[in-house]
Amino acid sequence: MSSYENFTGLEKKHLANPESDYRRLHLEKNTYQGRPGALWEFTHVPEPDEGGLVRHVIDQAFVAADGTEYAILAAGRADRWDPDKDLVFFTAIATFTAG
C-alpha cells in the first residue's frame, strides 16, 4: 500500500466520525528522499472530551526501499499553528533518516 492510499483510508475513518470535525487542508502524492510518499495536512477534533479543541496535523509519509512505511507527524492546536514559524515539522522532514 502506498502512503497516499494509507492516508486516504485514514481520511475515510475521519469522515465517518461526524464528531471529529475533520477538514482536509492538503493531501498529495509526493517524493520524499527519493521514495514515493504523500503529504497530508488537516484539522480535526481528536477527542470529544477535549472541549472541542481543534488540532492541526501535518504528516509526511513515505515507503522505504525495504517496504517499511515511515511517517513524520507534527500536531498542535489549530489556533496556534503558523506555518511560517513552525520549526519542528520542517526540521524533522529536513533531517530525518530511515534507520
Side-chain angles (χ1 to χ4, degrees):
M1 176 183 300
S2 72
S3 296
Y4 184 83
E5 292 167 327
N6 186 27
F7 283 162
T8 57
L10 292 169
E11 182 177 58
K12 287 178 185 174
K13 290 179 182 179
H14 282 289
L15 291 168
N17 178 3
E19 292 181 5
S20 79
D21 197 26
Y22 169 82
R23 187 170 70 107
R24 179 199 288 188
L25 302 175
H26 187 84
L27 177 58
E28 71 173 5
K29 294 178 184 179
N30 68 3
T31 301
Y32 177 78
Q33 296 187 357
R35 302 294 306 159
L39 181 66
W40 185 23
E41 187 172 4
F42 60 95
T43 60
H44 73 128
V45 177
E47 300 296 332
D49 63 350
E50 289 187 26
L53 178 68
V54 178
R55 186 167 297 160
H56 177 272
V57 179
I58 186 166
D59 194 350
Q60 171 65 63
F62 71 103
V63 179
D66 68 359
T68 302
E69 183 179 26
Y70 292 91
I72 304 160
L73 181 145
R77 291 177 52 149
D79 62 345
R80 295 186 179 170
W81 174 257
D82 183 347
D84 294 328
K85 294 180 180 176
D86 175 60
L87 296 176
V88 174
F89 180 74
F90 295 104
T91 299
I93 64 170
T95 61
F96 180 83
T97 56

